[in-house]
Amino acid sequence: MTNPPWWRNAVIYQVYVRSFADSDGDGVGDLEGVRARLGYLADLGADAIWFTPWYPSPMADGGYDVADYRSIEPAFGTLEQAERLIAEASALGLRTIVDVVPNHVSSAHPWFVEALAAGPGSPARQKFWFHSGKGPDGGQMPTRWVSSFSGDTWTRTMNPDGRPGEWYLHLFTPQQPDLNWSNPQVKAEHEEILRFWFDRGVAGVRIDSAAMPVKDPALPEVPAQPEPGAHPFIDRDELHDIYRAWRAVADSYPDERILVGELWLEDVERFARYLRPDEMHTAFNFDFMARPWEAKELRASIEATLAAHAPTGAPATWVLSNHDVTRPVTRYGRADSSFSFAAKRFGVPSDLERGTRRARAAALLVAALPGSLYIYQGDELGLPEVEDIPAERRQDPMHYRSGGRDPGRDGCRVPLPWSASNPTAGFSPDAAIAEPWLPQPADWAARSVEQQENEPDSMLALYRAALRTRRTELPTDDFSWLTSSADVLAFRRSANFVCMVNLGTEPVPLPEPAELLLASGPLAEGFLPPDTAAWLRH
């Protein structure tokens, strides 16, 4: 029997380099810090590492404003260090996935610098969305499109003579000008970027904001209820030709290279189109991550996800959080345990004890589902969202572009705790010359890897056991629901593997006879307590 491709059931660990491990004491995580911790990731049970953008960037949006795709951000290291990291990770059985951001580049990118200098009508400006503006003097923005980070999506340039010039489009911040994908040079450049990293041993590419690069050239306003494919800048049909070309690049390599899409789409049928055999291999499942801790909601998401993937043959992906989303320990401890960017506000209380209990159960739930599993750095330590970062230390544009209403995403990006050995909880070396770029809580050392490695019931111990058991017990995509009460999720994954999760308020009986493989918390004399998950051989 032929083994399935590695990516179909892989465990992929997300590294946000800036916050993972600092090797030189400047307060910023770097590639040498990651390289020193590769053994930790291999021991955890990861199959691959996904790196958020590690390219040169002014960091207007945490590195997603890329200035040069063929180099490494100097604060993180060098291209040679990246190549060594890719090779050493591969030797440990860890593949590498890098981020590519096709929707936009940094305003510091040579293309945009050239476009500003070249002036209206120039070929350089045709790589972006420049517009003369509306009104008799061009003083009105071309559209009223709203930024993903709040606020306007057009910024007016200044001519050399001091007079207002053309406007340019940016669906995120003004420091992230959108590319014009009808331009052949834009298409060719990105295909070369893929080859550049594939040639260096990268096993896959995660495509940021994958539904957004193509715009309607007529620049209409966004309809109140857009028809499928009719939104002016989301999920345009022309995107599929782009990703077919990317797939052809990936398929040109003798060993398998994959495309992973970041796709926030509610339309299941439209979502599935990106997973056709000649497009992306997998796409992120954001619906599950946004659902509240309720059996009905999570079951509906699981069913919809598996149904959407079934016609394509592509595996589902499961993830509890990432570098943009409130951490599970905090989210699941709230009265409203769902997630949406629009609802994020300061001062929302959370019961962290309850949130931790639920996050442990959720970890076993997602690890038991068929498909690939993504783990955001620190979730395996049960880290909560850091919500008391001083205003002057916050850096996320979602915070300041909202006028300070939105806490932003800094709270899930706080540097990791590795030990109790120094004031930075081991994030930086003892002789650090700077404090971490975001402040760590005072109790961070108590949540560190070093501390949890000595605790058999720690979150880290649970994750390690779950990934070890997953590898041996769940080699196929088999899945079927079992009869259960309304507050319980119970399903079978193989002839004798069962996962049960109690999302209710009362203990429920476990099936008999059954051998306990793993549980997220203590059981009670044959009963599964509330907010607890169990893996059984039954």
Side-chain angles (χ1 to χ4, degrees), residues 129 131 143 145 154 180 182 214-220 232 236 238:
W129 289 95
H131 195 284
T143 71
W145 296 352
W154 294 89
N180 180 358
S182 64
V214 173
K215 281 76 177 176
D216 184 340
L219 300 179
R236 305 283 302 172
E238 299 92 330

Side-chain angles (χ1 to χ4, degrees), residues 129 141-148 150-154 169-171 178 212 214-223 231-234 236 401:
W129 289 95
M141 287 185 291
T143 71
R144 296 188 301 275
W145 296 352
V146 177
S147 168
S148 295
S150 302
D152 298 329
T153 55
W154 294 89
L169 176 66
H170 49 85
L171 291 180
D178 280 40
M212 298 179 72
V214 173
K215 281 76 177 176
D216 184 340
L219 300 179
E221 296 297 344
V222 179
H231 194 288
F233 61 83
I234 294 177
R236 305 283 302 172
R401 283 179 64 86

Side-chain angles (χ1 to χ4, degrees), residues 2 6 40 181 188 221 227 348 437 442 451 456 472-473 512 531:
T2 303
W6 68 270
Y40 167 80
W181 274 86
E221 296 297 344
E227 294 294 320
V348 180
W437 71 279
Q451 182 73 23
T472 58
E473 296 286 338
E512 293 183 353
D531 297 330

Side-chain angles (χ1 to χ4, degrees), residues 12 14 264 285-291 293 298 317-332 337-339 355-356 358-367 369 372-376 379-380 459 462-463:
I12 301 166
Q14 181 189 353
W264 292 78
N285 173 18
F286 292 109
D287 178 75
F288 183 89
M289 182 172 61
R291 297 277 184 139
W293 184 252
L298 294 180
T317 65
W318 307 99
V319 58
L320 293 178
S321 73
N322 59 33
H323 63 291
D324 291 333
V325 173
T326 303
R327 285 196 182 271
V329 165
T330 299
R331 191 169 78 242
Y332 287 143
S337 55
S338 64
F339 175 82
T356 298
R358 290 176 171 180
R360 290 174 65 92
L364 291 195
L365 171 58
V366 292
L369 292 168
S372 56
L373 172 65
Y374 283 78
I375 299 171
Y376 176 52
D379 280 356
E380 81 279 12
M459 185 76 86
L462 178 70
Y463 265 81

